[in-house]
Amino acid sequence: MTLDILAISPHPDDVELACGGTLARAVESGARVGLLHLTRGEAGTRGTVEERKSEAECAGRALGAESVEFLDCGDGALRTGAAEEDALIEVLRRLRPEMVLGPAASDRHPDHGRAHRLVEAACFYAGLAKRKVPGRGEPHRPAAVFHYMLHDTFEPRFVIDVTSSWNKKMAALACYQSQLYQSTGQSGGSRDEREPETKVSSPEYWLAVEGRARHYGLLIGAEFGEPFGSRLPLAVSDLMSVLPRGLR
Ligand SMILES: [Zn+2]
């Protein structure tokens, strides 16, 4: 199995929060999408490793992902050494994505910036024939690495209209019952009372997720949008394809 897009997440739920709508829409368009979580969320305030693994698998199914995998780079002190690069290079050479989505260069959670550097390094080194790692995959370098937005904002290089796939993103986030506030009321209950509330488990955080998507959607004339950064300029072959449909 090979992929068109590999979305790499520092912790389970990051990638679905940041670009779940984009991934679901890409799947609807026929792209083969995979999710890779660099940690198992073992340092999280709420939920066990087993719960977070099954939640991540549920979220992957909700988005239509072909695969959901995990590495063990260390939640709360995400490691970026040669062993972690080797592990990520092995995944890249095996799944051979054309495009990789990862976190931005700096963010509130230090693991996110570390994950950014790990992703950038591994995507480059995966293409070097003389970089030997365990596994049989031939060298492979993704053609593009884009950055999704988590906590901190940045000036996006492009925004994807995710209005049509917003419900799938919500379905994916609903899988994270140990982490996120469940606006539909089907979860929480006794476990919400047992577990301490965190920033992302509050109803205000949920409103902020929707508010950000509405803000970036507004900028491109859509109801909901997900912003992305890119180190390089985008190659556009069809000028009309970048026309915002809802802006006049
Ligand atoms: Zn995170």
Side-chain angles (χ1 to χ4, degrees):
M1 180 194 71
T2 60
L3 297 174
D4 297 303
I5 301 171
L6 180 64
I8 302 177
S9 194
H11 312 104
D13 81 15
D14 283 331
V15 79
E16 297 90 343
L17 278 163
C19 63
T22 298
L23 298 174
R25 187 169 172 184
V27 170
E28 286 170 9
S29 301
R32 292 159 299 164
V33 171
L35 307 182
L36 175 67
H37 301 284
L38 295 176
T39 67
R40 295 157 200 270
E42 62 271 18
T45 307
R46 297 159 62 102
T48 65
V49 168
E50 292 73 25
E51 283 173 324
R52 299 196 68 177
K53 180 169 185 288
S54 68
E55 289 171 354
E57 288 166 347
C58 168
R61 286 191 295 274
L63 298 178
E66 305 260 339
S67 63
V68 178
E69 297 192 24
F70 298 83
L71 293 181
D72 190 10
C73 297
D75 184 10
L78 196 141
R79 299 180 298 272
T80 60
E84 289 73 28
E85 281 181 7
D86 282 357
L88 184 47
I89 289 169
E90 188 279 325
V91 174
L92 292 166
R93 288 180 175 176
R94 174 165 46 84
L95 298 178
R96 312 187 78 72
E98 291 291 337
M99 180 185 296
V100 164
L101 305 179
S106 68
D107 203 22
R108 174 173 177 264
H109 195 318
D111 278 2
H112 296 172
R114 295 185 191 203
H116 168 91
R117 293 187 286 283
L118 178 62
V119 168
E120 290 279 330
C123 285
F124 185 83
Y125 295 138
L128 293 182
K130 290 189 174 173
R131 177 71 184 255
K132 303 294 183 193
V133 305
R136 293 194 299 275
E138 293 297 310
H140 171 76
R141 184 171 295 150
V145 182
F146 297 133
H147 313 126
Y148 52 73
M149 188 181 289
L150 285 165
H151 184 273
D152 296 1
T153 57
F154 53 79
E155 192 64 40
R157 299 293 289 268
F158 62 98
V159 176
I160 301 288
D161 178 353
V162 295
T163 308
S164 66
S165 56
W166 186 253
N167 286 343
K168 287 186 178 173
K169 172 169 176 157
M170 290 298 104
L173 295 178
C175 293
Y176 284 103
Q177 299 212 350
S178 75
Q179 300 301 302
L180 304 173
Y181 173 76
Q182 299 295 324
S183 59
T184 50
Q186 80 275 35
S187 83
S190 58
R191 79 160 299 113
D192 274 355
E193 289 155 25
R194 287 203 317 268
E195 299 245 43
E197 187 162 280
T198 64
K199 184 167 182 166
V200 299
S201 70
S202 68
E204 291 76 18
Y205 184 79
W206 198 261
L207 293 172
V209 169
E210 180 177 329
R212 177 170 286 180
R214 287 190 179 278
H215 168 73
Y216 284 106
L218 187 72
L219 298 183
I220 60 164
E223 188 173 1
F224 297 107
E226 288 175 341
F228 291 87
S230 171
R231 189 170 51 81
L232 296 171
L234 300 184
V236 176
S237 52
D238 174 8
L239 182 58
M240 293 302 284
S241 71
V242 298
L243 191 69
R245 302 288 164 192
L247 279 183
R248 283 289 181 271

